[in-house]
Amino acid sequence: MVRMPEGDTVWRTAHRLHQALAGDRLVRCDLRVPRLATSDLTGRLVADVTARGKHLLTRVEGGLTLHSHLRMEGAWQIYAPGERWRGGARH
């Protein structure tokens, strides 16, 4: 059985990310899309994180929106400051 994130999962993810990020400034930025790889959102204020269907939209200062899609196996992780990374690859 293949599982994919559906509306309620994406909504809960957006809600948790909004609680963790909204009103704070980004301290690091690493975009993996080749044409955006040199873009840097570091220091920009996060205004909002919201779900639209299966898409996560993170709106940041300057009228920019970071679009994420969880696809089949995507995930976002929230860590407390200083908490050790528990994910896979270190990127």
Side-chain angles (χ1 to χ4, degrees), residues 58-79:
T58 304
R59 293 186 173 90
V60 296
E61 187 175 39
L64 301 173
T65 300
L66 176 64
H67 169 240
S68 301
H69 193 288
L70 299 180
R71 306 256 182 242
M72 297 292 280
E73 300 173 357
W76 277 86
Q77 302 290 325
I78 298 173
Y79 295 95

